Amino acid sequence: MNTLPIHRRMFLAAAAATALTVSLAGCSGGNKSGNSVEITNVSYDPTRELYQAINPAFATYWKKKTGQDVTFRMSHGGSGKQSRAIIDGLEADVATLALAYDIDVISKKAQLLPADWQKALPNNSSPYTSTIVFLVRKGNPKGIHDWGDLVKPGVEVITPNPKTSGGARWNFLAAWAYGRKAGGSDAAAETYVKQLFSHVPVLDSGARGSTTTFVERGIGDVLLAWENEALLAEKKLGAGKFEIVNPSISILAEPPVAVIAANAKKHGTEEVSKAYLEYLYTPEAQVAIARNFYRPSDPKIAEQFATQFPKVNLVTIDKDFGGWANAQKTYFDDGGAFDRIYTKK
Amino acid sequence: MRQHAPGTESRTTQVVLILLALAFLAFFLVMPLVAVFIEALKQGIEPFLEAVSNPDALAAIRLTLFIAAISVPLNVVFGLAASWAITKFSFPGKNLLLTMIDLPLSVSPVVSGLVFVLLFGAQGLLGPWLSAHGLKIIFAVPGIVLATVFITFPFVARELIPLMMEQGKDDEEAALSLGANGWQTFWHVTLPNIRWGLLYGVLLCNARAMGEFGAVSVVSGHIRGETNTMPLHVEILYNEYDFVGAFAVASLLAALALVTLVLKSVLEWRFDLHSGARH
């Protein structure tokens, strides 16, 4: 019967171990001094490297200008998901997302910023742009040069799901623009895009997932990708294993940025948030943008990087598709063109 | 045809069964585990150390331990209270309580996370009130703790209820009739009886608390260095093509699980030494 105290000792030891873990883990938390300010930037997936380059540069610039220290909280994720999180209370001071529609929704559903937010900054509030290109395997074994080659027998195309991915919606519209130009009508475009999607073996939920499918798992002959993703894959992931093909026509992708006014007001960060987004248009930031494979909006900087970004015939969302609200309804909402194409497969 | 008594199957059957079990283990447990460590150390020890000592990774590790350190003790208390109530007393609504305890196991973690967003999110039921009082739950540490506590709630209770049910209340009644009070009865009679069940419950609860992905992902907000737990950090690194980093943190997560297992074996061994034939 005198075994009992021993059991108890063991339990005390276990309890002590737990307490130790608590005290080891417990001490963390932000420190705020008088002359510092914090910006929360909620962004989409592929901008991590970009803002890692820009944030310290802006911090130096702001310190010199105002004597204030800036720190950043970065959140990355699928553009639609991030937009939803801001609506649900993720207190972003600035949103830097993949497409204007995702910021429109924040304005419409949560009234955190004015409806005409896109007029606040130059170029539709897009300090950088990108486009959709093809990434093919080294030597281009299937001979893919333009959209028409994607629907040849035996070609497998990788693209994410337009229902969930911002990048995929740009892909879809770029393909549509080609179909419309080649066939002369929206009906011809629908036939082409339908044919194209019959060549897609897997629909990942996000652009990064698709890149991993193509690059790491080796599935498919061609990846429809953001130009910045394709350049990153070509230069960093598998140097010498891939080639970029620029199609005859593509779409101008404008990832917009905006101050989430209500949150910035609440945090007292209106001034610095605005300055942060304006900083993105300075030559210094534009160079960092180009080095991270986004197309700079400043024509002078764009010229310096002309070899990296060849001229492509680009359609735009506003001129050719009547803006995002319209495009979303016509092509991607339930019962839209994508549903017709993909369910009738 | 000859009948076999259990345990006297032919040698071949034994060997085949053992090999089958081993092959299964090797394929589904050992191989993936080894693969994680190989991938993490593929480019040598230095990139590995760099990946796990990166400030964001350290913050994720701290947060994960912190979450486990809150949710495990809470659920030990909840679990003990619930199983004590269910097995030692009878009261109206007992079956309902039993069913409710299982709820977190039967609901998808994503739904569990969304429930908290619906309750505490800015557009949710309590959102406007919380925001007016400057309280942050969703997309902050309290939300992650809530989601984790909810998800791991059944583990301790589910281990204890069948055990305590089987043991009945004879021991406790004897103790009480000999003059022990409630607390003494619990400490000297009940706790020693259920210690194994409790230990398993705590281990399972801890493993899930550290590893939970779905529910935590919904309520986290993914702010680097602040609301990313280890599993979320692994996903982010993987999506950023930082495969060494992703597998380094993943292997650390796996190592934490291994440590818990070793701890369990050590405890078992010590108990066996001391309690001898009782076990």
Side-chain angles (χ1 to χ4, degrees):
Chain A
M1 260 294 133
N2 60 356
T3 51
L4 276 180
I6 293 164
H7 301 317
R8 201 156 72 180
R9 223 186 301 150
M10 292 311 296
F11 265 95
L12 288 178
T18 315
L20 188 69
T21 324
V22 178
S23 60
L24 273 178
C27 40
S28 73
N31 51 330
K32 274 208 179 87
S33 67
N35 205 19
S36 72
V37 64
E38 195 174 57
I39 301 180
T40 304
N41 178 354
V42 174
S43 195
Y44 64 116
D45 262 331
T47 56
R48 184 194 181 198
E49 295 81 4
L50 175 63
Y51 285 106
Q52 258 177 355
I54 292 209
N55 290 351
F58 175 73
T60 316
Y61 161 85
W62 189 249
K63 174 93 180 161
K64 216 193 276 172
K65 198 176 163 198
T66 65
Q68 205 173 27
D69 289 309
V70 198
T71 49
F72 295 91
R73 296 160 83 214
M74 291 301 305
S75 169
H76 296 270
S79 189
K81 185 182 169 185
Q82 296 291 72
S83 159
R84 189 68 237 179
I86 294 174
I87 292 169
D88 283 328
L90 179 57
E91 294 193 355
D93 297 298
V94 301
T96 54
L97 297 178
L99 40 93
Y101 181 77
D102 288 334
I103 299 184
D104 280 338
V105 175
I106 301 173
S107 163
K108 209 181 291 167
K109 293 225 166 112
Q111 288 90 40
L112 296 175
L113 71 168
D116 62 348
W117 61 270
Q118 213 169 359
K119 297 206 179 87
L121 291 161
N123 301 319
N124 286 328
S125 288
S126 300
Y128 39 82
T129 63
S130 194
T131 183
I132 300 302
V133 299
F134 304 161
L135 192 69
V136 297
R137 304 202 182 275
K138 179 81 191 159
N140 199 353
K142 298 268 166 117
I144 289 157
H145 301 289
D146 201 2
W147 291 98
D149 300 323
L150 301 183
V151 294
K152 281 184 184 161
V155 174
E156 282 193 339
V157 181
I158 305 294
T159 175
N161 188 345
K163 286 276 182 186
T164 53
S165 156
R169 275 175 256 172
W170 290 114
N171 291 348
F172 184 98
L173 292 178
W176 195 279
Y178 167 81
R180 195 192 262 163
K181 190 177 144 230
S185 70
D186 274 325
E190 185 162 335
T191 314
Y192 168 74
V193 176
K194 183 176 178 179
Q195 215 182 343
L196 176 65
F197 271 87
S198 72
H199 286 257
V200 179
V202 275
L203 278 181
D204 285 290
S205 67
R208 275 284 151 112
S210 280
T211 313
T212 310
T213 298
F214 183 76
V215 172
E216 291 292 316
R217 291 166 60 200
I219 295 176
D221 303 302
V222 54
L223 173 73
L224 305 187
W226 291 99
E227 184 177 47
N228 53 291
E229 282 280 295
L231 282 163
L232 186 74
E234 188 204 22
K235 301 226 152 102
K236 297 214 168 139
L237 279 182
K241 283 197 279 189
F242 306 101
E243 283 173 24
I244 290 177
V245 173
N246 285 288
S248 66
I249 184 172
S250 190
I251 192 161
L252 177 71
E254 296 172 303
V257 300
V259 175
I260 306 298
N263 290 342
K265 191 171 174 196
K266 186 171 164 191
H267 303 153
T269 53
E270 287 157 301
E271 198 192 344
V272 64
S273 302
K274 189 162 168 271
Y276 177 56
L277 296 186
E278 281 164 358
Y279 177 78
L280 295 171
Y281 292 87
T282 61
E284 196 185 357
Q286 291 282 311
V287 169
I289 281 165
R291 290 220 171 102
N292 282 284
F293 312 122
Y294 287 87
R295 292 188 173 217
S297 61
D298 182 333
K300 269 192 231 132
I301 309 291
E303 204 143 293
Q304 286 175 32
F305 289 87
T307 47
Q308 185 172 305
F309 303 113
K311 278 217 161 52
V312 181
N313 180 14
L314 297 176
V315 301
T316 70
I317 188 79
D318 289 328
K319 252 193 273 160
D320 300 81
F321 293 97
W324 261 115
N326 206 358
Q328 179 74 25
K329 210 169 112 213
T330 316
Y331 300 101
F332 307 117
D333 278 351
D334 289 341
F338 177 70
D339 279 350
R340 283 201 301 278
I341 284 164
Y342 209 66
T343 48
K344 276 196 206 152
K345 187 177 161 180
Chain B
M1 239 205 249
R2 244 175 64 204
Q3 288 283 324
H4 286 295
T8 62
E9 284 89 354
S10 75
R11 193 91 189 122
T12 346
T13 321
Q14 277 182 33
V15 171
V16 166
L17 279 176
I18 291 171
L19 280 182
L20 211 74
L22 280 181
F24 191 83
L25 272 180
F27 190 76
F28 283 103
L29 276 173
V30 181
M31 232 165 61
L33 205 60
V34 171
V36 167
F37 284 96
I38 287 179
E39 198 71 35
L41 293 166
K42 212 163 149 189
Q43 292 173 26
I45 190 87
E46 227 156 84
F48 175 87
L49 290 177
E50 216 166 277
V52 297
S53 61
N54 165 292
D56 286 348
L58 286 179
I61 294 166
R62 240 189 338 251
L63 181 63
T64 299
L65 293 177
F66 180 68
I67 302 286
I70 293 181
S71 43
V72 173
L74 271 182
N75 275 332
V76 167
V77 175
F78 292 157
L80 273 171
S83 24
W84 182 280
I86 284 171
T87 56
K88 309 287 179 192
F89 305 106
S90 69
F91 52 91
K94 188 164 147 172
N95 279 325
L96 187 69
L97 183 61
L98 254 173
T99 316
M100 296 282 276
I101 287 174
D102 278 342
L103 195 69
L105 282 181
S106 48
V107 171
S108 158
V110 176
V111 177
S112 318
L114 280 175
V115 167
F116 288 103
V117 173
L118 282 179
L119 271 179
F120 300 112
Q123 315 293 313
L125 221 53
L126 302 172
W129 185 85
L130 288 169
S131 148
H133 291 75
L135 295 173
K136 265 191 254 176
I137 294 194
I138 295 300
F139 309 123
V141 174
I144 305 178
V145 172
L146 272 177
T148 310
V149 169
F150 178 81
I151 290 287
T152 55
F153 181 66
F155 289 98
V156 173
R158 267 286 130 200
E159 281 298 316
L160 291 184
I161 290 169
L163 189 67
M164 289 169 89
M165 206 91 99
E166 191 191 322
Q167 287 172 348
K169 38 192 177 183
D170 297 351
D171 287 2
E172 279 83 0
E173 275 165 3
L176 289 172
S177 70
L178 289 173
N181 65 26
W183 180 247
Q184 284 171 326
T185 310
F186 172 72
W187 193 247
H188 293 288
V189 178
T190 309
L191 199 56
N193 276 343
I194 60 167
R195 59 176 196 275
W196 290 113
L198 187 60
L199 187 63
Y200 279 112
V202 166
L203 287 172
L204 287 177
C205 181
N206 183 54
R208 185 64 185 269
M210 294 200 293
E212 174 57 23
F213 180 83
V216 168
S217 173
V218 177
V219 299
S220 144
H222 305 274
I223 300 165
R224 269 156 214 282
E226 215 176 298
T227 62
N228 271 340
T229 60
M230 283 170 83
L232 299 184
H233 194 59
V234 170
E235 192 213 18
I236 283 176
L237 290 176
Y238 188 80
N239 275 345
E240 279 163 3
Y241 310 121
D242 182 357
F243 298 116
V244 169
F247 283 105
V249 178
S251 66
L252 218 59
L253 205 54
L256 279 176
L258 290 179
V259 167
T260 350
L261 281 182
V262 170
L263 211 69
K264 194 200 89 185
S265 310
V266 170
L267 281 176
E268 264 172 8
W269 175 70
R270 293 284 307 261
F271 272 125
D272 278 350
L273 273 191
H274 288 299
S275 49
R278 276 190 65 177
H279 209 67

